[in-house]
């Protein structure tokens, strides 16, 4: 089942999920700040972060469904207020 992230969550690494140990994801790959808006920040990862196939260093999400790619792994992100 999908992992739900609460409004107060911050993710700075993936040690406790299926991405753990995947060679295309950096130990500190992405930071996700959740407040009135959701901000995704690439943490100078080796293989980059992409939202809907567009590479970003930092981006903000509005409500909707997105494809988040970290290295070679793809995730579906759904943001609802």
């Amino acid at each position: 089942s999908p992992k739900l992230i609460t409004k107060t969550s911050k993710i700075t690494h993936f040690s406790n999920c299926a991405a753990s140990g995947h060679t295309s994801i950096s130990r500190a790959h992405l930071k996700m700040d959740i407040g009135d808006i959701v901000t995704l920040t690439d943490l100078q990862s080796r293989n980059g972060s992409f939202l809907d196939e567009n590479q970003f260093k930092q981006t903000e999400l509005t409500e909707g469904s997105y494809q988040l790619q970290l290295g070679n792994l793809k995730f579906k992100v759904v943001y609802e207020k």
Side-chain angles (χ1 to χ4, degrees), residues 20-40:
S20 177
H22 197 282
T23 58
S24 70
I25 295 183
S26 302
R27 284 189 192 165
H29 195 109
L30 179 84
K31 179 179 175 186
M32 180 183 293
D33 291 305
I34 303 172
D36 292 335
I37 58 172
V38 175
T39 304
L40 303 177

Side-chain angles (χ1 to χ4, degrees), residues 3-72:
K3 178 173 172 74
L4 297 178
I5 300 173
T6 65
K7 194 169 188 171
T8 58
S9 295
K10 285 190 181 182
I11 298 172
T12 55
H13 60 84
F14 294 90
S15 62
N16 294 321
C17 76
S20 177
H22 197 282
T23 58
S24 70
I25 295 183
S26 302
R27 284 189 192 165
H29 195 109
L30 179 84
K31 179 179 175 186
M32 180 183 293
D33 291 305
I34 303 172
D36 292 335
I37 58 172
V38 175
T39 304
L40 303 177
T41 305
D42 182 87
L43 299 175
Q44 300 178 351
S45 65
R46 182 180 61 234
N47 293 314
S49 298
F50 301 81
L51 192 65
D52 293 334
E53 300 185 14
N54 297 303
Q55 189 169 12
F56 66 88
K57 294 297 180 192
Q58 186 172 65
T59 191
E60 295 177 352
L61 301 183
T62 56
E63 285 190 83
S65 180
Y66 301 90
Q67 178 181 281
L68 175 64
Q69 181 175 338
L70 306 176
N72 295 331

